[in-house]
Amino acid sequence: YWPDYGGMESYVKWCTDSPTIANHSVSEFYTNPICRQMYKNAMKTIMTRRNTYNGRVYNEDPTILGWDLANEPRNPGDPSGNTLAYWIEEMSQFAKLISRGQLITTGVEGFFGLTTPNLALNSNPGSDEWDSWICEGTDFVRFHNLPGIDFTVAHMYPDLWVQKPCNGSDYCMKLFASRWVDTHIEQSLMLGKPFVLEEFGSSTKTGDYIDSMEHREDIFETVFTEMEEAAAASHLSVGSLFWSFSSLHYPDYDGFTVYYGGEEGGNGNEQQSNHQNTGAGAETPQGTDVQPGEDDSLDYVWYSLQDQNQKQLQNDFRNLKKHKQCSKYLRKSVREGVITTSFREKPDDVIASTTTLVPFQKLETSHDDTINIIANAAKKFRKLSRQDSQYFHD
């Protein structure tokens, strides 16, 4: 989904024979027949490749547990989750034909959607961002309930997702981590499928290095404790993979890298130096050797403008406007009473905060009523933003 290694942007350019992603959308990756066939061709090529070193074909290698269909796929602006659900269903069934003896999963981050409205409103990251996550077009329970999916997965990054709602509180982020893992384990139990927290981490670039490392240890301890308790309390198989373990020779680009301190005589001081040398203040535009303060200041400005233009193209490609329209419509419908009872306006005597709405769990609202409330909102939004596609149905 993300552009770091080409990803869905490259597929859309290939399948539309376009030199740029301008005027294109990530949704085309899931709906364009040529894109879908290109993806299948790539999947088959990788799964049937023979390992150069051990001579095994990948889809016959017992050391390969399973396959993610994609890394963190989203389809912003589609609160129904239909487009991505249909794509996952089709591709998981195809993957099972190629790799019959290996497991298949989604690769999603684990955000909750309309299948579980209470969780969508209360268990997604942030205290007042329910509309944003619903509008990402993902649905943890629905996607993992598909027959071609063998186990459930989720990702977790408290520093990226809830630092602002938590006001930087380490304790608050630990609580989120605990609840996030617990909730996904509970839902996986209901689905009868194993659960893997296949990506989680904590950044060392959020403040003081030592404090950040202590915070990371707290997050890791929280995850491992939850996993051990789940494994001991039920027959559910669980697992976790942190992001990411690297050699000391590999720069810590994102602040989430975990190093082995004894590697080739390395130590904590070397790691700290590595972290400082790759911090935000040392970054330069990609693909250039220009450094701030050099005589090439005009070139630096030009490359910065290029980066800004590319970011705008990527935002457009990922349906940013459609996502905002979706969020705006959901909240507006609540305020105007088009969607009622799930949220209500706060009384005038209540001190204003980041929202004017009372979360539904503070009110007496039935589960079925909540389903109808948000489902109606999604249906109205789809009518306003309908596209000609085999994946859009009432």
Side-chain angles (χ1 to χ4, degrees):
Y1 176 77
W2 306 108
D4 303 74
Y5 303 101
M8 296 179 185
E9 292 185 7
S10 294
Y11 274 92
V12 170
K13 286 191 289 186
W14 295 333
C15 73
T16 60
D17 195 24
S18 173
T20 176
I21 58 173
N23 301 316
H24 289 287
S25 164
V26 68
S27 302
E28 295 176 67
F29 174 80
Y30 307 115
T31 60
N32 185 299
I34 300 177
C35 271
R36 299 206 309 277
Q37 188 58 51
M38 282 184 172
Y39 174 85
K40 289 179 179 178
N41 294 343
M43 181 196 298
K44 183 177 180 180
T45 299
I46 294 172
M47 287 181 168
T48 58
R49 183 184 184 276
R50 187 174 297 277
N51 189 307
T52 305
Y53 296 97
N54 62 25
R56 292 172 178 164
V57 178
Y58 286 178
N59 64 0
E60 299 173 354
D61 192 332
T63 65
I64 296 178
L65 170 69
W67 302 87
D68 273 339
L69 292 177
N71 177 50
E72 301 182 344
R74 302 182 184 184
N75 185 42
D78 176 22
S80 72
N82 285 341
T83 299
L84 193 46
Y86 298 146
W87 183 85
I88 291 174
E89 183 174 24
E90 177 183 351
M91 298 309 168
S92 61
Q93 291 174 354
F94 181 80
K96 299 297 284 186
L97 293 175
I98 307 301
S99 296
R100 297 179 183 275
Q102 295 169 329
L103 305 178
I104 306 297
T105 191
T106 62
V108 299
E109 294 150 290
F111 305 129
F112 295 104
L114 298 181
T115 302
T116 51
N118 289 325
L119 296 179
L121 292 170
N122 296 295
S123 295
N124 279 325
S127 59
D128 190 42
E129 300 175 6
W130 57 272
D131 54 318
S132 177
W133 298 115
I134 291 174
C135 291
E136 286 292 352
T138 67
D139 192 322
F140 174 82
V141 172
R142 180 183 181 185
F143 294 171
H144 290 108
N145 196 36
L146 293 169
I149 299 301
D150 298 306
F151 63 100
T152 71
V153 294
H155 298 184
M156 186 189 74
Y157 291 98
D159 299 329
L160 300 179
W161 294 351
V162 296
Q163 186 176 41
K164 184 176 180 180
C166 283
N167 292 318
S169 167
D170 288 354
Y171 179 71
C172 173
M173 285 187 273
K174 282 177 60 179
L175 287 180
F176 166 77
S178 177
R179 182 179 181 185
W180 184 256
V181 174
D182 273 348
T183 304
H184 286 83
I185 289 175
E186 291 172 359
Q187 295 302 307
S188 298
L189 275 169
M190 295 177 65
L191 292 171
K193 296 183 179 182
F195 169 67
V196 177
L197 185 67
E198 65 171 8
E199 223 183 275
F200 74 94
S202 179
S203 176
T204 58
K205 293 187 177 182
T206 56
D208 178 78
Y209 180 77
I210 301 300
D211 290 343
S212 297
M213 288 298 293
E214 291 177 353
H215 170 62
R216 172 185 283 179
E217 291 178 3
D218 288 342
I219 295 296
F220 277 41
E221 182 181 7
T222 298
V223 170
F224 295 148
T225 299
E226 295 291 346
M227 289 295 178
E228 290 176 2
E229 291 178 352
S234 71
H235 297 294
L236 178 72
S237 297
V238 296
S240 61
L241 301 165
F242 60 80
W243 175 269
S244 62
F245 185 69
S246 300
S247 163
L248 286 173
H249 299 290
Y250 187 81
D252 187 8
Y253 290 109
D254 57 11
F256 291 94
T257 309
V258 176
Y259 294 100
Y260 172 54
E263 179 184 338
E264 296 183 5
N267 54 50
N269 292 333
E270 185 174 351
Q271 294 175 37
Q272 184 169 355
S273 175
N274 185 33
H275 161 77
Q276 292 171 342
N277 290 337
T278 56
E283 292 179 357
T284 59
Q286 293 182 352
T288 82
D289 294 323
V290 181
Q291 299 291 336
E294 293 185 357
D295 293 336
D296 303 291
S297 55
L298 291 179
D299 287 340
Y300 185 77
V301 170
W302 183 78
Y303 282 119
S304 296
L305 290 174
Q306 266 196 329
D307 285 349
Q308 292 176 11
N309 291 336
Q310 184 63 22
K311 287 180 181 178
Q312 183 60 51
L313 281 176
Q314 291 174 347
N315 286 337
D316 292 343
F317 180 77
R318 286 169 181 77
N319 304 337
L320 180 61
K321 291 182 180 179
K322 191 175 179 181
H323 182 274
K324 288 182 176 179
Q325 290 172 351
C326 173
S327 297
K328 183 178 179 181
Y329 175 77
L330 289 177
R331 287 188 176 269
K332 181 180 179 181
S333 298
V334 168
R335 288 196 302 269
E336 295 181 349
V338 177
I339 310 172
T340 61
T341 75
S342 180
F343 288 83
R344 296 178 186 170
E345 292 290 335
K346 287 183 177 179
D348 294 335
D349 57 346
V350 175
I351 298 176
S353 61
T354 56
T355 180
T356 61
L357 303 175
V358 178
F360 89 98
Q361 69 269 25
K362 297 181 181 179
L363 304 171
E364 296 181 359
T365 306
S366 72
H367 183 79
D368 290 338
D369 191 33
T370 306
I371 293 176
N372 293 331
I373 289 164
I374 305 183
N376 288 337
K379 185 175 181 180
K380 288 179 180 292
F381 178 80
R382 289 199 300 274
K383 288 182 178 179
L384 295 176
S385 59
R386 183 169 300 279
Q387 298 179 5
D388 292 330
S389 168
Q390 63 173 313
Y391 287 119
F392 282 82
H393 304 281
D394 286 328

